[in-house]
Amino acid sequence: QSALTQPASVSGSPGQSITISCTGTSSDVGGYNYVSWSQQHPGKAPKLLIYDVSYRPSGVSDRFSGSKSGNTASLTISGLQAEDEADYYCSSYTSTSIVVFGGGTKLTVL
Amino acid sequence: EVQLVQSGAEVKKPGESLRISCKGSGYSFIGYWIGWVRQMPGKGLEWMGMIYPSDSDTRYSPSFQGQVTISADNSISTAYLQWSGLKASDTAMYYCVRHRGWLQPDYWGQGTLVTVSS
């Protein structure tokens, strides 16, 4: 099971919107609506931001949104804030009933 | 409040065995898959495997099959990750994570740093 493909880095200025992509195959991202996104600040444990492609857990800002088209899922962060600077990871359920993560994307807020 | 509390940092020598733990609270421990995730220094998250405590069904990533063993003790709501012969390349932070519906990771432990060095 290969890792999902994410851009290594993205950047944006405060107030702007950015989108992080997560590309898999029909055996994972494209085959199921079970994609999640997690945020990890340096030295901290990851935190769930999005599940089931586009649902936010209670307490997560509505500036974070998720979507999917074909084999690619996306995380959009609107109204970028300094505190959003972190690493972001997608993950997906797979056809072999296990989990696969993306390689991670480092977001820099300029 | 759902919490996953992991055991403390470990320093081991190559070839030694090790078991680290993850204690769940605030939810029905036996009703959710518990997974383990490796993060090597400066690298991304790698899913290793998981266990369903209710029936001990265990699944592994092909990359980690045969390299580690995952187990659980329902009487104390604790999951374990075990090595029988550590290598320097096992040096990493290890996180346990609860999987919600369709195996999506929702709650994470604080991490256990494992250092393997001669």
Side-chain angles (χ1 to χ4, degrees):
Chain A
Q1 193 74 47
S2 299
L4 306 176
T5 300
Q6 298 181 231
S9 63
V10 298
S11 62
S13 299
Q16 288 186 330
S17 293
I18 64 94
T19 296
I20 299 171
S21 61
C22 169
T23 301
T25 69
S26 58
S27 296
D28 38 63
V29 174
Y32 308 92
N33 287 326
Y34 303 126
V35 176
S36 60
W37 290 89
S38 298
Q39 175 192 58
Q40 186 181 34
H41 285 107
K44 301 292 187 184
K47 169 193 167 187
L48 178 66
L49 290 179
I50 297 285
Y51 66 95
D52 289 355
V53 173
S54 61
Y55 290 85
R56 284 186 307 276
S58 173
V60 172
S61 170
D62 60 5
R63 297 187 300 105
F64 296 93
S65 62
S67 62
K68 191 186 86 165
S69 177
N71 294 338
T72 298
S74 299
L75 172 71
T76 297
I77 308 175
S78 59
L80 212 54
Q81 299 179 359
E83 69 208 47
D84 299 331
E85 187 159 294
D87 294 325
Y88 292 84
Y89 295 91
C90 61
S91 64
S92 175
Y93 177 82
T94 76
S95 60
T96 52
S97 300
I98 61 171
V99 176
V100 63
F101 278 101
T105 298
K106 180 177 179 62
L107 169 62
T108 300
V109 180
L110 301 171
Chain B
E1 177 195 9
V2 174
Q3 283 194 310
L4 297 174
V5 178
Q6 298 185 227
S7 49
E10 301 275 0
V11 179
K12 291 290 189 179
K13 293 186 178 350
E16 291 186 332
S17 61
L18 173 66
R19 189 177 75 168
I20 62 175
S21 66
C22 168
K23 183 175 175 61
S25 63
Y27 73 100
S28 173
F29 181 75
I30 63 172
Y32 290 80
W33 290 89
I34 288 281
W36 288 94
V37 175
R38 182 175 79 175
Q39 188 167 39
M40 299 177 77
K43 301 298 184 182
L45 305 176
E46 300 174 89
W47 188 83
M48 302 174 71
M50 62 185 178
I51 188 166
Y52 192 64
S54 178
D55 60 7
S56 295
D57 185 8
T58 310
R59 300 176 191 174
Y60 296 90
S61 162
S63 299
F64 291 93
Q65 180 81 48
Q67 307 304 307
V68 296
T69 301
I70 295 171
S71 60
D73 184 340
N74 294 347
S75 68
I76 54 172
S77 301
T78 299
Y80 300 98
L81 177 65
Q82 181 175 322
W83 295 261
S84 58
L86 286 161
K87 311 181 197 65
S89 57
D90 292 318
T91 293
M93 181 72 80
Y94 292 88
Y95 293 101
C96 64
V97 58
R98 191 185 81 162
H99 289 292
R100 58 172 291 131
W102 296 96
L103 304 185
Q104 296 170 92
D106 60 359
Y107 289 91
W108 295 75
Q110 84 276 18
T112 295
L113 181 62
V114 174
T115 303
V116 184
S117 174
S118 55

